[in-house]
Amino acid sequence: MRNRWRFSLGLIGVVALAMPALPATAAGTAPVAAAPPATIEEAFDDLSPEWLPAAGTWEAADGVARVVQPGSSRGSILALTGRGLDGTATVTATFASAGGGASAWAGFTVRRSGTTDDYTQSGYTVFVRNNGELALIRAAGDGQVAVLGTAQTDARPGSAPVTVSVSLDGERMRVGLGGAELAAPLIEVTDAAFSGSGFAFAAHRDVRMAVDSVRLAGVVDRAEPVPTDCVAWSGEPATDAGRGEVLVSDARVAAVSARITVGEQPQASAYARLLTAADTGLERAPAPPTTFFVPFFYNDPTAHRAARDGLQNDANTAYELALAYRLSGDARYGAQAARFIDAWTSTVECVRTREDSALAFSYHFPAFVHAAELLRGTSAWSPASEAVFAGFLRETATPVAGSILHRTNNWGSWALETTTAAAAYLDDEAGLAAAHARAVELLEHQIDENGHLPEEVDRNNGVGDYGIWYTHFSLLPLFLVAETLSAHGYDVHDHVNANGRGLADAADAAAGWVADPASFPYYTGDLTKLANVRTIDYLRDAGIMAHSMSYFELAQNHYPTGERAALLAEEGPMTTIHSAPHLSLTHGGLADVTAAPGEGEPSEPGEGEPGAGEPGAGEPGAGTPGGAGTGPAGAPTGEPGAGATGSLAASGGDVSPATIVLAVAMTLVGLVLVVARVRRREAAAGA
């Protein structure tokens, strides 16, 4: 390929690789000098890892790196990472532009500080406008710049590629068109505002820049600075915190197991779906980033989803595996779930809060918390690893969510879900009290006299076609918060605000719109254009079923209605991608987890290790064959529930003679083994 580092940089790499094989330097000798500046020539046959799309969507092919989707209001950025420019350096870049008016521009930034800084935050940006103006500007902060010099030229980047060269010599900068010879520059200035070494291509927000090549001379290694919006993670475990119930307690696991065993719906069908997802999870590998950052969705949907999906997939996979482990007893699921959690706490160094980062983190990370709740105290996850996760909750997850907790729309709802889940997991009484107070504030603000959410119903610039979806998107975290807080003695479900409305009214209004979309008063267009009314459209179009209204399972447990019951029956077991993927399995028809299936008789959840009191009285599902076969109505055989309250025999289900014979035979075999073991001990004692 043409676009690889040229000889001077390659030679440095060879020397660096050879260094470990050289004899150790004698004590007291001078340290090895730093590598001299190198030269990079990049022709962009592909987009190598050294180039970071810090804003906008970029791709490289056929010798051109181009903007596919422009970035935010500050434009598009393609940043060189791990390397920068020395005090004395030159840049020669050839590029073109498409789109924008006469004043739209494309170029590059030198002397920048942060890797993701735009042209107003740090460094000097050289660019050519579509009208031919060549300019050198300096970042001035707060969205402002200072113009250091301009020159009118015949260059027209919108019509043909232009070549721009810059020579850096300390505080002196010379700019011209053409090759690197700048004896007679068009712009020459001296400025000492910035001394960073960072380099990046930059383009106006309306421009699709296309870079043919760049030559950088005076390249040095660069330690990337920590972004100013970074919430760092030190890796320090939390050994002094308590542990509390979040969403799926031991009692709930036992109740779900019992319903699966007797073929109760929606659990029986939902369990089969869970195992399919968990089996897929066994084949996946976690993919945590060192820095978590998600750009604004509406500026760049493709880049947003690409950055967000890593957390979504890993957190949901961890939860599905952990839940499958607790319900099946298959140790493979537990070990893999722990692997996903540990990968994130051992890899992530920074979670950023700018753009959509804090929001995306807040609506996906709680799935990791729910997974941790299911794994802690089991042999699948070590206490040391669990303490590290608890430290991450306290040091990083809670502050990230806290950065948007002041928001009063769905952002605030999701921030509250993460902070509530973290406080509950750590059994943080002060945090739980604060979460309850914030929940009340949100209910007071968000729900109007009609039971509607005015900050959500007319979404999409007042058109309203996303109004039902955003209502769902804000109610799901509020119902999860209410569910968690109720386990700690705080009542949010029955709170009535100053408008005389509460969660029940909001959920009932949403159910009415789902049942009859024509009744949604905030949209008057084509009803088929209403977004995500029942499921998430773009996923459904890709063949993936993910519901937007999965919180109806929680609402029905607290405020049962015939309309919502009919919707739940129509949809069957629901899953979603946000925070709690399998609410039909864990909460469908289970407002009271102490009631045995079909009887209403209280059961006694076990104590000690999660799963105690279930089959095997120890590890989840211990003492039972792991997940082999299914019983009546899809109920698993040889899994939790066989021997727990609500088993087939206890619930009055039909038991075949073959099953009875098999049970008697297994019992006799067990007695024989016990007698043999006792005799061996007696023999050993008498020896």
Side-chain angles (χ1 to χ4, degrees):
M1 293 187 296
R2 292 185 295 133
N3 61 330
R4 295 280 58 88
W5 310 127
R6 299 302 187 191
F7 175 78
S8 56
L9 188 59
L11 181 59
I12 293 171
V14 171
V15 173
L17 290 172
M19 284 301 294
L22 297 178
T25 302
T29 59
V32 177
T39 297
I40 291 175
E41 293 187 60
E42 182 73 72
F44 295 112
D45 288 334
D46 57 20
L47 201 60
S48 59
E50 290 83 3
W51 294 98
L52 171 71
T57 304
W58 294 73
E59 68 177 15
D62 301 324
V64 179
R66 58 172 50 86
V67 175
V68 179
Q69 176 67 41
S72 66
S73 60
R74 298 287 182 265
S76 304
I77 301 170
L78 182 64
L80 178 66
T81 63
R83 292 178 173 83
L85 298 175
D86 199 14
T88 301
T90 60
V91 178
T92 300
T94 300
F95 56 87
S97 62
S103 62
W105 55 266
F108 52 82
T109 305
V110 296
R111 301 281 194 245
R112 63 205 302 267
S113 299
T115 306
T116 59
D117 285 357
D118 63 51
Y119 64 91
T120 72
Q121 293 174 302
S122 70
Y124 304 92
T125 300
V126 178
F127 60 76
V128 183
R129 297 188 190 276
N130 284 341
N131 62 14
E133 182 185 68
L134 175 69
L136 172 62
I137 62 175
R138 179 185 67 208
D142 296 325
Q144 305 299 311
V145 299
V147 179
L148 301 182
T150 63
Q152 190 59 42
T153 75
D154 294 331
R156 296 293 185 270
S159 301
V162 300
T163 299
V164 178
S165 294
V166 170
S167 174
L168 306 174
D169 186 2
E171 299 172 2
R172 184 186 181 199
M173 291 169 282
R174 293 177 294 161
V175 182
L177 296 180
E181 179 58 47
L182 289 169
L186 297 175
I187 302 172
E188 183 171 355
V189 300
T190 299
D191 192 277
F194 297 102
S195 60
S197 64
F199 173 85
F201 290 104
H204 185 267
R205 64 179 177 271
D206 297 326
V207 168
R208 284 175 166 80
M209 185 180 189
V211 183
D212 286 343
S213 63
V214 62
R215 184 180 189 276
L216 305 173
V219 175
V220 293
D221 288 342
R222 166 181 158 90
E224 297 300 327
V226 176
T228 56
D229 64 321
C230 172
V231 180
W233 163 231
S234 69
E236 188 68 26
T239 57
D240 59 339
R243 298 293 184 266
E245 181 178 331
V246 185
L247 185 66
V248 185
S249 64
D250 293 348
R252 185 166 294 279
V253 170
V256 170
S257 294
R259 288 172 70 96
I260 291 170
T261 302
V262 299
E264 193 94 19
Q265 297 293 358
Q267 277 72 28
S269 298
Y271 180 63
R273 178 177 293 181
L274 172 71
L275 290 183
T276 298
D279 286 340
T280 300
L282 289 175
E283 304 301 320
R284 287 192 63 238
T290 54
T291 297
F292 180 78
F293 173 74
V294 179
F296 285 126
F297 175 80
Y298 286 106
N299 288 333
D300 194 344
T302 301
H304 171 97
R305 285 173 177 154
R308 177 206 68 193
D309 285 357
L311 175 58
Q312 171 191 305
N313 294 336
D314 282 6
N316 288 350
T317 295
Y319 177 62
E320 288 164 347
L321 289 163
L323 188 56
Y325 167 57
R326 290 296 304 275
L327 292 173
S328 74
D330 190 330
R332 296 176 305 154
Y333 295 141
Q336 181 76 335
R339 179 187 175 204
F340 272 83
I341 299 176
D342 294 346
W344 277 73
T345 57
S346 63
T347 303
V348 173
E349 299 173 357
C350 161
V351 178
R352 298 183 58 193
T353 58
R354 280 182 58 196
E355 302 197 24
D356 276 348
S357 302
L359 174 61
F361 183 87
S362 295
Y363 59 61
H364 285 315
F365 188 79
F368 270 136
V369 184
H370 304 324
E373 178 185 28
L374 289 162
L375 291 184
R376 69 187 179 197
T378 73
S379 61
W381 198 26
S382 73
S385 294
E386 190 278 335
V388 169
F389 176 78
F392 186 87
L393 284 186
R394 175 186 287 172
E395 182 180 322
T396 302
T398 299
V400 168
S403 71
I404 58 170
L405 190 57
H406 64 283
R407 300 284 292 268
T408 56
N409 63 351
N410 64 79
W411 286 56
S413 300
W414 281 112
L416 182 59
E417 155 62 357
T418 295
T419 54
T420 302
Y425 186 94
L426 299 173
D427 204 22
D428 177 0
E429 285 300 328
L432 289 164
H436 175 252
R438 183 58 179 158
V440 170
E441 291 174 353
L442 289 178
L443 295 187
E444 291 292 333
H445 174 83
Q446 290 188 354
I447 305 175
D448 67 12
E449 64 277 5
N450 300 309
H452 303 171
L453 277 62
E455 289 205 46
E456 312 298 346
V457 290
D458 62 353
R459 289 296 296 264
N460 197 9
N461 297 318
V463 175
D465 51 339
Y466 278 75
I468 296 177
W469 157 239
Y470 274 102
T471 295
H472 292 327
F473 194 57
S474 197
L475 287 177
L476 171 57
L478 290 177
F479 269 94
L480 291 171
V481 166
E483 199 73 20
T484 296
L485 287 176
S486 66
H488 295 266
Y490 295 95
D491 182 16
V492 176
H493 290 108
D494 293 329
H495 177 80
V496 176
N497 68 12
N499 293 318
R501 301 296 183 181
L503 282 177
D505 303 288
D508 289 350
W513 299 334
V514 171
D516 179 15
S519 68
F520 182 61
Y522 302 95
Y523 177 70
T524 58
D526 180 358
L527 293 180
T528 63
K529 299 294 180 61
L530 277 171
N532 305 339
V533 174
R534 296 193 180 202
T535 59
I536 299 174
D537 297 338
Y538 83 94
L539 289 173
R540 184 187 61 224
D541 293 343
I544 300 171
M545 185 61 69
H547 287 81
S548 54
M549 58 180 209
S550 63
Y551 67 94
F552 280 10
E553 295 284 15
L554 302 178
Q556 186 68 1
N557 284 341
H558 295 276
Y559 327 112
T561 69
E563 183 173 55
R564 195 157 36 242
L567 290 171
L568 291 171
E570 288 175 21
E571 290 301 312
M574 291 190 291
T575 60
T576 191
I577 60 173
H578 298 104
S579 191
H582 294 271
L583 286 174
S584 290
L585 175 59
T586 58
H587 288 74
L590 273 172
D592 179 10
V593 297
T594 63
E599 295 183 6
E601 293 290 333
S603 63
E604 296 296 331
E607 299 178 353
E609 182 170 0
E614 302 172 31
E619 275 297 294
T624 62
T630 57
T637 61
E639 294 185 357
T645 303
S647 66
L648 284 174
S651 64
D654 294 331
V655 182
S656 68
T659 300
I660 296 174
V661 170
L662 177 60
V664 171
M666 291 178 67
T667 301
L668 291 174
V669 170
L671 290 173
V672 170
L673 292 174
V674 169
V675 170
R677 186 175 184 179
V678 170
R679 287 180 175 175
R680 284 198 301 269
R681 288 184 175 178
E682 290 175 346

